[in-house]
Each structure stands twice: as structure tokens, then as C-alpha cells.
Amino acid sequence: MHTARIVLDWLRACIAAFQFLTRLPIPVQITYTDLVFRRSVVFYPLAGGVIGLLLLLASEGLSLFLPPLPAAVLLLGLWVVLTGGLHLDGLMDTADGILSHRPREQMLEIMKDSRVGAMGVIVAVLHLLLKFALLYTLLESNRWDGATGIRGYLLLAIVPVWSRWFMTAAIQGWPYARKESGLGSFFQGVTKWHVAISLVVALFTTTLFVYFGDTVSDAAVWPVPLYFACATWLAGWLFATYISRKLGGLTGDTYGALNELLEAILLLGVVICATP
């Protein structure tokens, strides 16, 4: 009974991760407690993997019927819909606060405002344009990476895995900026143990994508997860450190902003590596 209860608790945490990070229809009622929130971060890369898989299937399907330009628009739209714009909203709020160049407390107050300011709109538009241009480049080239023998499509599917893994690392690695409680405060108490398990999930998910997605040698499979891990940590650390210095820590909005920024950076890396 004790073992069954532990398994059930972790299953609830997995469902919570999918319900929180995606808009996939999962009609299961979960009682959201602090423990569920903390455990759910372990499954963030898995939720990202499902998002990546859906993007991979959509990119293959759209390429069969549409030219690259409209296919890229629809693929980007699907990417936003799958998350309900949750992380994009965090990016806009973070941009409004940090780019206001106000004192720290005023930045945090601006980020709490449900209305979107000019800087948030500008950053969101530029961000979406960049992702659209990168998706269009991948869809147009449809080539294999000569270095690893792995298609850009497949690497695209791995991007959401690692951007969501770093959200777990950011929750644990940087202090919470707000004195009062907010959505991000529900995740406080995440430990290095949670981050380590989340990392294993990310590495395992990435390896599965590469191993079963393409016929390549083992020598070409194993470096890919390590490349993504290193690139994600380096870029994520730079972004998180900059934001934390501005705000005195991170918030729920900045976790979403980090996810969006890392998706763009990793997607840029994919385009550089997988296109001529």
C-alpha cells in the first residue's frame, strides 16, 4: 500500500506538470498542494518532450501540404496554443518591468499589472518574429545536419525539453524576488535533488528522440543531449543572473520569460547547426 501511494503521488505530480505547462486535455482532478507543485517540476522536461513531439509531427505534416511560409506561421501558432501563451505572457510582463528602468520594487509592481505595456508588446512581437523566421528556415531547408546526421526537425522537438528543464534549475538556483506570495512562490522548496532528477528526465527524453527518430550511429546520438545541456545551462545562467540582479531574484513571470528566451536561443542554435 505504501509503495502504491508513493507511485500515485508521483503520478499526480506528473499530471500537474502537464496541466500547468500545457493546454492538453487531461480531465483529471488534482489537489494542488505545495508538495505536488515541488514534485511536478521533475516532469517539466517530459511535458516539454510531448510539446516537442507534437511540433515534430505537425512540422512533418504541414510540410506535405503547404509551402514553408504558411507552414511556419501555423507551426508557431500551434506552439503558442499548446502552452496557452503562459510563458509568452511571462516574457511580456518581465519586459515591461525590467525595461521600464525603474527602481526594483516598481519593476515588480509593473510586472504584477495584468495590462501589457509598450515594451512587453515590442519584445513579444520581435520574439515571435525571430521564432517564425527560424521555423521558416528549418521548414525550407529540410536538410540533414552533416556533422551528426540528424534532421533539424528532430532537433526542433528537443528544444522545449531543455527550456523547461532550466525552469526547474532556475526555481532552485535563484531566490524568489517577491516578499508576498505569488504563483512562483508555490514552487519554493524545490531542491537540488529535484533538479538532478529533472536533468535525468531531460537527458533520457532527448536520447529517446535522437535514437528512435533517426538512424544514426551511437557516436552521433550521445553528444546531442550533452550539447543541449551545456548550451541551455550557459544561456540560461546568463539570462537568469541578469534578471535576478535587476529584480533581486526571480518570479513566476521570469520563469516563463526564461523558457521563451531559451527556446529562441536553442532554436537559433538548431538552425545554425542543421541548415547549410
Side-chain angles (χ1 to χ4, degrees):
M1 286 293 294
H2 181 66
T3 302
R5 181 179 299 177
I6 293 175
V7 172
L8 189 59
D9 287 343
W10 281 102
L11 180 59
R12 290 194 187 100
C14 182
I15 293 173
F18 277 85
Q19 289 182 338
F20 184 68
L21 293 183
T22 76
R23 290 299 176 264
L24 298 175
I26 305 177
V28 179
Q29 292 291 333
I30 299 292
T31 301
Y32 283 87
T33 64
D34 291 344
L35 181 61
V36 170
F37 273 115
R38 288 196 297 271
R39 286 180 172 177
S40 69
V41 302
V42 169
F43 300 99
Y44 277 15
L46 184 60
V50 172
I51 292 172
L53 178 61
L54 293 174
L55 293 174
L56 172 63
L57 295 175
S59 64
E60 295 280 7
L62 290 170
S63 297
L64 295 176
F65 303 102
L66 293 172
L69 192 61
V73 174
L74 292 175
L75 189 59
L76 178 60
L78 175 63
W79 202 336
V80 175
V81 168
L82 285 173
T83 63
L86 175 67
H87 309 306
L88 192 60
D89 179 68
L91 176 64
M92 289 188 289
D93 288 340
T94 301
D96 277 336
I98 289 181
L99 298 180
S100 69
H101 303 292
R102 304 288 179 84
R104 180 177 298 172
E105 292 301 323
Q106 289 186 355
M107 287 184 186
L108 292 171
E109 285 300 315
I110 290 172
M111 291 167 61
K112 286 178 62 177
D113 194 334
S114 60
R115 296 168 295 182
V116 180
M119 297 310 301
V121 173
I122 292 171
V123 169
V125 169
L126 292 175
H127 175 73
L128 290 173
L129 282 174
L130 174 60
K131 290 178 81 170
F132 162 73
L134 295 172
L135 289 174
Y136 170 72
T137 303
L138 280 179
L139 291 170
E140 185 183 38
S141 63
N142 192 21
R143 290 174 61 90
W144 295 75
D145 175 10
T148 64
I150 300 172
R151 279 192 298 177
Y153 282 5
L154 187 62
L155 296 176
L156 163 65
I158 298 171
V159 167
V161 175
W162 287 97
S163 62
R164 281 152 185 81
W165 168 75
F166 191 80
M167 291 173 68
T168 302
I171 291 170
Q172 191 278 325
W174 283 265
Y176 188 65
R178 297 190 186 279
K179 297 178 181 178
E180 72 279 8
S181 62
L183 182 59
S185 66
F186 297 148
F187 298 94
Q188 302 312 300
V190 170
T191 65
K192 292 181 179 179
W193 181 78
H194 292 97
V195 178
I197 295 180
S198 181
L199 177 60
V200 172
V201 173
L203 291 169
F204 180 72
T205 304
T206 304
T207 302
L208 285 180
F209 268 123
V210 178
Y211 189 80
F212 290 105
D214 286 273
T215 305
V216 295
S217 66
D218 289 344
V221 169
W222 299 116
V224 175
L226 299 180
Y227 291 156
F228 270 94
C230 293
T232 300
W233 175 252
L234 177 59
W237 183 86
L238 291 172
F239 284 134
T241 299
Y242 172 77
I243 295 172
S244 181
R245 287 177 178 174
K246 286 286 187 179
L247 301 177
L250 302 180
T251 70
D253 284 327
T254 64
Y255 300 148
L258 287 170
N259 177 80
E260 287 291 335
L261 292 171
L262 283 172
E263 282 185 343
I265 291 296
L266 293 176
L267 191 57
L268 179 61
V270 167
V271 168
I272 292 173
C273 293
T275 56

